[in-house]
Amino acid sequence: MEICEDTKSLSPTIFEDAKNDREKFWENQAACLHWFSPWDRVLDWNPPYAQWFLSGKLNACYNCVDRHQTTQSRHKAALIWEGERGEKLTLTYEDLYIEVNKFANVLKSLKIQKGDKVAIYLPMICEAIVAMLSCARIGAVHTVVFGGFSHDALKDRIHDSDAKLVITSDGGFRKGKHIFLKESCDRALCECPSVKNVLVIRHTHNTVSMKEGRDHWYHELKEKVSPECPPVLMDAEDELFILYTSGTTGKPKGIVHTTGGYLVGATMTMRWVFDVKSTDVYWCTADIGWITGHSYVVYGPLSNGLTQVIYEGAFDFPEQDRVWQIIEKYKVSIFYTSPTAIRTFMKWGDAWLKKHDLSSLRMLGTVGEAINQEAWNWYYKNVGNNNCPIADTWWQTETGSIMIAPFYGHTPLKPASATQPMPGIEIACVNDVGDFENAGYLAITSPWPSMLRGIHKDPKRYEETYWKKWDGNFYFTGDGAKIDEDGYFWLQGRVDDVINVSGHRLSTSELESALTEYHGIVEAAAIAVNHEIKGQGIVCFVTVRDGHVHDENEETKIKQHIVNKIGALARPEKIIFILELPKTRSGKIMRRLLRDIAEGRILGDTSTLFNHEALEQIKGKYKDENEK
Ligand code: WTA
């Protein structure tokens, strides 16, 4: 089946249809995929556990690759890859089919079977996408770890997922420098007994050490396998992937997605939001290490038979017009990026855009955090030349696909609002006791096909994090929102201890436990402060052991320690050394007072504060730091 060019799903009655009979509606949407055998029930909802399309059999890779082999899509480009140094590689859907079959057979030759977990730690290269699809083809569960994460973060994720195989490369390129992925991988693997084999893609031609019996070059194994690997029939509820995301505790959560419902969500929202046509050239700048990379670089675009651009490298390499150059060169028609990226482009200036013809663009999107009005206006005027709609899309790793966004051609835009829920998605603002209000916690009030099915190995945490607040009735998103008189949603940011840096989630406790591992630090509190480019930046308040001798580079060293423990995106803006953290009588750190100080606000309620004198010292210290 080709992309539904004139799809009925774009009918204006779609919202009504979905409201009138939600299950029937989703059943109709699921019919857009290829199923080896149909489901016998649409939904089994046993709060907070949902199953969709029960007993239906399908394969996600088949839907993204095989079914395009019998249509005109076969000979069109699926992936147009550009490397940072200008290298280019195009894979048609036929090429993708050949690559995926071989890759899947290599996985099998390493004894990977249905249900096995495979960690993928790669740069943005075609093989990363091929690796994910190949896992899906044989029923292995991939867990992609962002290539910018440190060896420690990789180790934690491999541990928790019990991955048997890691797929990595001899490196990557960023800002003209080598990224040493294999080395990070080797360090992580010292403590990962579950990993039996490492598959290494040759990309940078860096010399790397290969451990005898454990490490294998992909290009060597590829020569030895047969070219055909039949897709495994997967149950709709078989796991497709695990993706780790930060929660409110130090331990990342392995969000589990299954095959059928997830693919229905990713495929259909791709059409509804971007109204994709077979002539489109689409570019989503997300890395495959994030959910946006999963749903809107891999599964959504490919199941729709789209042509897309992928780019490995920095936006400002060699100069600050790289993005515009790529759009012009490949005639990109749909561009999907983050508010942080937009603010960065804004800062670099309009002159870089003016050098390029961006007239191929017809549609723009954003994701990851609320977009501010100024950035929206700039994006609309300068990138979209005042005639491309902007889809501000709200969703999460847990939701699997876009939840709130304008429905292409039907939802009038309001700049900086994500607008309204997608058809078939029921969302409300809810107060503490579960009443619907015009402002409050953003809650999803009925199950949806691409919802997470759980947290890997931790059902209790799943129940408590997402469902306990309203006794299993509604899903708690962790975001606050307001609804205006037209029913439009305005996202207000997180209501929990999650910091959103450049659209990436980090938990305060993950940061704090990393800080206290640093020699000499006794206690730490990490907070978010407004940041012009990143949306939010991290400021850390730390107390040190008595007698600890400060060395003059201590702040830099602590920042580097955080980068080593978590990754570069977690690098704090500031480390502030204080004598005591503000606490309640029961010893709870009052982060909100630290936030008030950092934002220069009048302090909120201090009635529960135990150590008032600490606050005065912190205020003074913060002021000194700012004046530095
Ligand atoms: C935030 C990314 C406002 C939000 C797909 C959410 C947004 C978290 C938007 C999920 C948006 C994402 N407007 N806030 N358009 N999109 N967020 O799991 O706080 O990396 O809960 O998924 O990002 O981040 P995640």
Side-chain angles (χ1 to χ4, degrees):
M1 188 192 305
E2 291 224 55
I3 301 173
C4 310
E5 289 256 339
D6 183 24
T7 164
K8 252 178 54 212
S9 66
L10 293 180
S11 128
T13 64
I14 190 167
F15 288 97
E16 282 309 303
D17 299 346
K19 269 203 190 84
N20 293 340
D21 188 344
R22 197 161 38 90
E23 288 190 24
K24 181 87 204 134
F25 168 80
W26 281 118
E27 179 159 49
N28 287 342
Q29 307 311 314
C32 286
L33 296 180
H34 176 275
W35 296 79
F36 297 119
S37 60
W39 51 90
D40 48 43
R41 211 143 35 100
V42 178
L43 171 65
D44 181 35
W45 178 223
N46 182 15
Y49 294 96
Q51 294 194 301
W52 284 86
F53 312 116
L54 287 90
S55 308
K57 299 273 186 270
L58 79 167
N59 183 287
C61 177
Y62 184 96
N63 272 283
C64 292
V65 181
D66 300 43
R67 68 174 168 149
H68 305 307
Q69 302 308 312
T70 52
T71 70
Q72 287 173 356
S73 301
R74 179 176 185 166
H75 301 297
K76 74 185 259 195
L79 305 176
I80 303 172
W81 173 82
E82 182 165 304
E84 200 176 64
R85 295 165 308 164
E87 320 89 297
K88 190 181 157 187
L89 177 70
T90 301
L91 294 185
T92 63
Y93 274 92
E94 186 178 20
D95 297 332
L96 192 59
Y97 177 83
I98 295 167
E99 292 301 318
V100 158
N101 274 271
K102 286 221 169 137
F103 205 111
N105 276 333
V106 168
L107 294 178
K108 278 189 182 169
S109 75
L110 294 172
K111 310 265 179 310
I112 297 299
Q113 299 174 350
K114 183 175 173 189
D116 285 342
K117 313 292 186 286
V118 174
I120 299 177
Y121 187 58
L122 284 172
M124 280 300 280
I125 53 178
C126 293
E127 288 87 343
I129 295 169
V130 170
M132 290 166 75
L133 293 168
S134 304
C135 287
R137 190 166 193 84
I138 63 168
V141 179
H142 57 71
T143 179
V144 182
V145 180
F146 173 51
F149 272 137
S150 69
H151 63 92
D152 250 336
L154 174 64
K155 180 192 74 189
D156 290 347
R157 286 155 178 77
I158 293 176
H159 252 306
D160 191 78
S161 64
D162 297 316
K164 273 176 81 175
L165 173 75
V166 180
I167 306 173
T168 189
S169 69
D170 53 1
F173 294 107
R174 195 153 185 97
K175 287 210 183 214
K177 295 201 190 104
H178 278 112
I179 307 289
F180 298 101
L181 292 170
K182 177 68 169 60
E183 286 75 358
S184 294
C185 193
D186 288 341
R187 286 182 73 179
L189 291 184
C190 293
E191 296 169 67
C192 296
S194 65
V195 176
K196 305 294 173 228
N197 291 294
V198 177
L199 188 58
V200 188
I201 315 281
R202 193 168 61 188
H203 174 50
T204 57
H205 292 260
N206 260 352
T207 312
V208 292
S209 72
M210 298 289 282
K211 188 169 170 191
E212 185 70 38
R214 185 195 71 179
D215 300 352
H216 314 269
W217 284 109
Y218 172 63
H219 63 273
E220 289 175 2
L221 298 191
K222 188 180 172 185
E223 296 303 313
K224 299 183 192 153
V225 295
S226 77
E228 289 287 333
C229 173
V232 168
L233 266 59
M234 301 290 282
D235 194 274
E237 282 298 327
D238 279 337
E239 283 182 21
L240 178 63
F241 65 85
I242 300 170
L243 183 61
Y244 285 85
T245 185
S246 293
T248 52
T249 72
K251 190 169 175 277
K253 300 177 285 196
I255 303 298
V256 174
H257 281 287
T258 56
T259 310
Y262 170 79
L263 200 60
V264 171
T267 307
M268 299 318 292
T269 48
M270 186 85 224
R271 293 179 192 177
W272 298 337
V273 175
F274 299 107
D275 184 33
V276 291
K277 310 281 181 210
S278 57
T279 47
D280 272 317
V281 178
Y282 165 80
W283 184 21
C284 167
T285 61
D287 189 279
I288 50 146
W290 312 114
I291 191 67
T292 309
H294 283 58
S295 305
Y296 300 105
V297 175
V298 183
Y299 293 106
L302 296 176
S303 72
N304 279 300
L306 274 183
T307 292
Q308 68 174 321
V309 172
I310 48 174
Y311 168 59
E312 180 203 359
F315 290 159
D316 55 350
F317 193 87
E319 292 199 286
Q320 291 168 341
D321 62 344
R322 187 62 184 269
V323 168
W324 320 123
Q325 206 183 66
I326 292 175
I327 291 176
E328 179 176 28
K329 181 163 162 195
Y330 300 110
K331 301 201 165 32
V332 171
S333 54
I334 307 174
F335 183 58
Y336 190 25
T337 193
S338 66
T340 294
I342 296 164
R343 289 191 294 266
T344 308
F345 304 146
M346 250 171 96
K347 190 170 142 225
W348 289 342
D350 306 354
W352 293 109
L353 284 93
K354 300 231 161 73
K355 288 168 62 182
H356 297 280
D357 175 8
L358 306 182
S359 60
S360 55
L361 288 170
R362 69 168 183 84
M363 170 86 218
L364 304 172
T366 75
V367 60
E369 56 185 301
I371 181 164
N372 48 316
Q373 187 81 46
E374 199 193 350
W376 196 99
N377 291 343
W378 183 87
Y379 196 31
Y380 188 75
K381 175 168 173 265
N382 295 285
V383 182
N385 193 23
N386 295 316
N387 61 26
C388 299
I390 299 177
D392 174 0
T393 61
W394 178 90
W395 60 295
Q396 305 179 303
T397 305
E398 293 86 342
T399 69
S401 59
I402 295 171
M403 296 278 109
I404 306 178
F407 186 81
Y408 186 89
H410 293 282
T411 315
L413 300 181
K414 285 197 188 188
S417 163
T419 75
Q420 298 187 327
M422 292 270 93
I425 301 297
E426 288 165 2
I427 302 193
C429 285
V430 177
N431 67 13
D432 276 311
V433 292
D435 305 324
F436 288 11
E437 306 263 8
N438 287 333
Y441 303 112
L442 190 74
I444 309 181
T445 56
S446 61
W448 67 103
S450 65
M451 66 192 271
L452 75 165
R453 298 302 193 263
I455 295 178
H456 184 58
K457 293 198 297 202
D458 204 345
K460 195 157 163 271
R461 191 172 178 197
Y462 167 72
E463 289 162 17
E464 283 178 359
T465 310
Y466 303 110
W467 300 96
K468 202 174 129 206
K469 189 164 183 64
W470 298 295
D471 299 328
N473 287 322
F474 310 139
Y475 166 89
F476 175 66
T477 63
D479 280 10
K482 288 183 182 165
I483 306 177
D484 71 14
E485 58 289 357
D486 301 319
Y488 277 50
F489 285 74
W490 298 82
L491 276 301
Q492 307 285 304
R494 301 289 303 190
V495 293
D496 54 14
D497 288 331
V498 173
I499 301 181
N500 190 335
V501 180
S502 303
H504 300 136
R505 283 157 69 172
L506 292 165
S507 83
T508 50
S509 56
E510 194 177 357
L511 285 158
E512 288 162 10
S513 63
L515 284 164
T516 49
E517 280 174 34
Y518 183 88
H519 177 72
I521 294 184
V522 180
E523 272 197 312
I527 60 156
V529 292
N530 291 327
H531 189 284
E532 196 192 343
I533 302 292
K534 301 178 187 173
Q536 292 192 317
I538 301 164
V539 171
C540 305
F541 293 85
V542 298
T543 62
V544 293
R545 193 171 300 149
D546 283 351
H548 175 76
V549 186
H550 261 298
D551 94 37
E552 60 181 70
N553 295 324
E554 193 105 70
E555 179 166 0
T556 316
K557 283 189 192 158
I558 297 174
K559 287 181 181 172
Q560 191 54 42
H561 166 78
I562 297 292
V563 172
N564 296 344
K565 292 298 296 180
I566 302 175
L569 59 94
R571 185 189 294 277
E573 304 302 318
K574 272 197 184 105
I575 308 285
I576 298 175
F577 297 90
I578 55 171
L579 297 176
E580 252 185 288
L581 287 167
K583 288 186 183 168
T584 61
R585 194 167 284 277
S586 61
K588 259 185 117 187
I589 299 172
M590 297 188 75
R591 287 192 194 77
R592 67 175 169 78
L593 294 179
L594 293 172
R595 280 195 292 267
D596 287 343
I597 294 175
E599 301 287 9
R601 288 190 294 255
I602 296 173
L603 293 184
D605 180 11
T606 53
S607 57
T608 54
L609 179 68
F610 180 60
N611 50 354
H612 284 267
E613 60 298 342
L615 214 55
E616 291 309 312
Q617 190 251 339
I618 298 167
K619 271 201 241 166
K621 192 75 204 255
Y622 196 79
K623 196 160 160 270
D624 294 348
E625 288 289 331
N626 267 346
E627 285 164 3
K628 256 190 202 168

